[in-house]
Each structure stands twice: as structure tokens, then as C-alpha cells.
């Protein structure tokens, strides 16, 4: 049997994003949830969020972000051997939206599949992509994190209405002369399965007297405590596995779940002043699987991160699933 020969190293070769076009400020939401702009900003750091129009489908946002990422990487779609889409809001359960995205982009019948790891989906997919490139099962992998969470958010639910948002981010992963994607530290705590979830499954919806969308529900305070205390430890493990310390970092891109969690993690980790911290949540809200690439790309566009910088990514959410790795900014 022949053995596969992979690349010695893998790296992020390019990044692209698509922000949903509707800008929804807090004031537009507060009446339905008896809240205020001040409360939302104080408790979450969110000033406004992006919601998609009906035309801005999961497929459209994925394709737009991917075209940018491919362009940025200088890679032709036919060089992509595998497309991985991380999402929880592609409401057609099968087939995988990755297959339609791979086709629309003009890949040469690339392998394509979706993964479900909620807010940690992008970091999971980056881990898979880099392992595939190193193993030789794919030359180049396109990883997309995409959500239309507004489709499964109840705008009358005080605990979630102001948080979730829509958008897409994509990266091309390919061979590299130096290591650009550190070892992943990942895991799950299924004992806390119920803390963030869809309210019910489709069978329950169908038998209900008044069928309603199975929207997301969240026990926010419990997730907040878990993320604030546990995730800094995971982030440290990712640094250790990559053989770097916080002093070696240029950029810190935690999942954009809550500005207070971002601040708590940076504080607990004693992040040095020179490390730029992603704070995309203020304008974007929490876009789950799209949150990290959207936040990283904004930093690149704003000049807060540049190609070659060392960045720590960490994502966490429903499951509770989490993943972290150190990467070189493309
Ligand atoms: O992306 C996946 C991972 N997700 C996360 O990491 C989310 C983590 N959780 C959070 O971000 C926060 O828990 C929230 C922003 C969702 C909520 O903030 P909190 O500081 O945990 O608020 P809380 O739920 O503990 O509620 C505090 C108070 C309560 O009132 P009392 O009991 O203190 O009088 C709530 O009734 O705030 C009240 N409250 C609200 N008030 C105004 C709850 N929701 C609202 C609201 N507007 N929307």
C-alpha cells in the first residue's frame, strides 16, 4: 500500500470575511426585551450587531468570504481539495452546505462537509485542515465559519436577543516552509450540554399546538462563569503546546462572546500590554463559528495585526465545546 506524504508544515495562507449588511443598534431591540442600550453595553460590550437580509444566505456569505480568502492566498479554487464549513445555522440538515459552496466556487469536485461545534467550530475546522495538509490527505483546505443566527434567535428572549449575529469568515490552509498552525487543545464538557442549545428538535416543533422555530436558549450566567474561569487554562495549554508564552504573542483573538469574558481572560492570562486584543463584538455581536475569523480580519484591516504576527485563537460555546491554537497571521 502506498503511504501518503504530507507537507512538513501547514499555515493559514489567506483570510476573507463577509459581514451581514443590516446594522442593528441596541436601541432597535430593547423594547421587546425590556432592556436598555446601557445595560447591554455594560453586560456584554455590544453596541450593535449585524443581521443578514433574506438574500444573504449561508451559501452567499460563505462564497463571498471564500473568494476573498482565495484571492488573498493567491490560490485557485481548483487547488482546493477539501472544503469544511463550520456552522450551526444551516437549517437544511442535509446535504452539507459545503458541497454547494465548493461547487459555486469552482473547485474540482473538492471533498466537502459541514461540522457542528458551535462557537468553537472554526478552531475545530482549522485543526482538521492543518492535520489534513500535514497528513497529505489534502493539498489545500478551505475552512469557513458561517452563521445566520438571527434565524434561530427569539427577539423576545432577554437572554439571547441582543447577543447573536450573522456573518462569515474563511481561511485557506496549505503547505508552508515554517509552522503556521500550532497544535490544537480541544475538548468538550457534555455534562453542561443543556447550557446553550436549541430549545427543541424538529419533531417536537411539528407536534406543538403552535409550531415555533426551535430557537437558541442559553443559561448565560453559568456559561459566563465557565468561560471566564476555565478558558484561560485551555489558552495557556495551547501556548505551552506551541512552545510560546504570552510575551511572544502579538495578537489575542478570543471568541467574541462577551467583552467582559474577553477582558477577564486577558487579565487572568496576564496578557502583556503589547498584545492587541480582538474586540470585534462591539460592532458585530456574537457570530458563533464566524466570530474568530471576523475578529481577526478586522484587526488586519485596521492595522492591529499584520502578516507574520503570532496570534492565539480560542473559541468556546454550546456543548460545551472548546478549541484553541496558536497561529501565524496570514
Ligand atoms: O457564544 C457562546 C458562549 N456564550 C457566552 O459565553 C455567553 C456568556 N454569558 C453572557 O454573556 C452573559 O451571561 C449575558 C450577557 C448573557 C447576561 O449577563 P449577566 O451579567 O450574566 O446577567 P444575568 O443573566 O446574571 O442577569 C443579571 C440581571 C438579572 O436581574 P436581577 O435578578 O439581578 O434583578 C436579570 O433579570 O439582569 C437582568 N437581565 C436583564 N436586564 C436587562 C437579564 N437579561 C436582561 C436584559 N436586559 N436583556
Amino acid at each position: 500500500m502506498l503511504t501518503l506524504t504530507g507537507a512538513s508544515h501547514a499555515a493559514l495562507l489567506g483570510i476573507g470575511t463577509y459581514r451581514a449588511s443590516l446594522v442593528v443598534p441596541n436601541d432597535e431591540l430593547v423594547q421587546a426585551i425590556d432592556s436598555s442600550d446601557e445595560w447591554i453595553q455594560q453586560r456584554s460590550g455590544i453596541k450593535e450587531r449585524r443581521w443578514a437580509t433574506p438574500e444573504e444566505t449561508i451559501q452567499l456569505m460563505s462564497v463571498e468570504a471564500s473568494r476573498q480568502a482565495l484571492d488573498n492566498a493567491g490560490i485557485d479554487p481548483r487547488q482546493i481539495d477539501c472544503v469544511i464549513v463550520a456552522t450551526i445555522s444551516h437549517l437544511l440538515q442535509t446535504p452539507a452546505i459545503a458541497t454547494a459552496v465548493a461547487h459555486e466556487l469552482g473547485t474540482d469536485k473538492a471533498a466537502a462537509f459541514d461540522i457542528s461545534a458551535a462557537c468553537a467550530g472554526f478552531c475545530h475546522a482549522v485543526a482538521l485542515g492543518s492535520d489534513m495538509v500535514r497528513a497529505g490527505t489534502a493539498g489545500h483546505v478551505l475552512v469557513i465559519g458561517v452563521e445566520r443566527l438571527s434565524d434561530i434567535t427569539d427577539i423576545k428572549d432577554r437572554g439571547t436577543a441582543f447577543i447573536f449575529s450573522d456573518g462569515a469568515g474563511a481561511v485557506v490552509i496549505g503547505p508552508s516552509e515554517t509552522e503556521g498552525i500550532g497544535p490544537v487543545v480541544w475538548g468538550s464538557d457534555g455534562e453542561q450540554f443543556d447550557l446553550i442549545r436549541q430549545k427543541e428538535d424538529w419533531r417536537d416543533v411539528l407536534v406543538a399546538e403552535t409550531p415555533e422555530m426551535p430557537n437558541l436558549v442559553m443559561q448565560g450566567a453559568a456559561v459566563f462563569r465557565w468561560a471566564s474561569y476555565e478558558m484561560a487554562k485551555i489558552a495557556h495549554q495551547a501556548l505551552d503546546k506551541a512552545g510560546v508564552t504570552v510575551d511572544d504573542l502579538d495578537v489575542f483573538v478570543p471568541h467574541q462572546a462577551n467583552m467582559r469574558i474577553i477582558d477577564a481572560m486577558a487579565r487572568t492570562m496576564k496578557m502583556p500590554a503589547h498584545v492587541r486584543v480582538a474586540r470585534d463584538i462591539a460592532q458585530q455581536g456574537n457570530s458563533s463559528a464566524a466570530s474568530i475569523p471576523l475578529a481577526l480580519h478586522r484587526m488586519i484591516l485596521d492595522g492591529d495585526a499584520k502578516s507574520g504576527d503570532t496570534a492565539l485563537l480560542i473559541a468556546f460555546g454550546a456543548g460545551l465545546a472548546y478549541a484553541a491554537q496558536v497561529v501565524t497571521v496570514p
Side-chain angles (χ1 to χ4, degrees), residues 35 39 43 119 158 162-163 220-221 223 255 257-258 260-261 286:
S35 189
W39 189 94
R43 297 287 176 138
C119 304
R158 285 184 114 196
F162 61 96
I163 293 175
V223 180
H255 168 47
N258 184 313
R260 288 156 58 217
I261 299 179
N286 176 346

Side-chain angles (χ1 to χ4, degrees), residues 17-96:
T17 49
Y18 185 91
R19 273 178 209 278
S21 62
L22 295 177
V23 179
V24 184
N26 291 339
D27 280 340
E28 282 186 25
L29 301 177
V30 292
Q31 207 181 346
I33 53 172
D34 185 21
S35 189
S36 65
D37 175 39
E38 191 192 2
W39 189 94
I40 295 173
Q41 287 205 43
Q42 266 180 11
R43 297 287 176 138
S44 70
I46 300 172
K47 294 182 177 156
E48 58 193 28
R49 75 279 300 129
R50 295 298 189 107
W51 284 355
T53 61
E55 294 74 34
E56 290 173 316
T57 60
I58 293 269
Q59 182 170 339
L60 179 140
M61 295 193 288
S62 299
V63 166
E64 292 296 320
S66 300
R67 286 198 175 124
Q68 250 185 48
L70 287 161
D71 234 37
N72 191 236
I75 295 291
D76 188 275
R78 284 164 301 188
Q79 291 173 265
I80 297 292
D81 295 323
C82 182
V83 177
I84 308 175
V85 173
T87 188
I88 55 161
S89 47
H90 170 48
L91 297 180
L92 187 69
Q93 204 162 356
T94 196

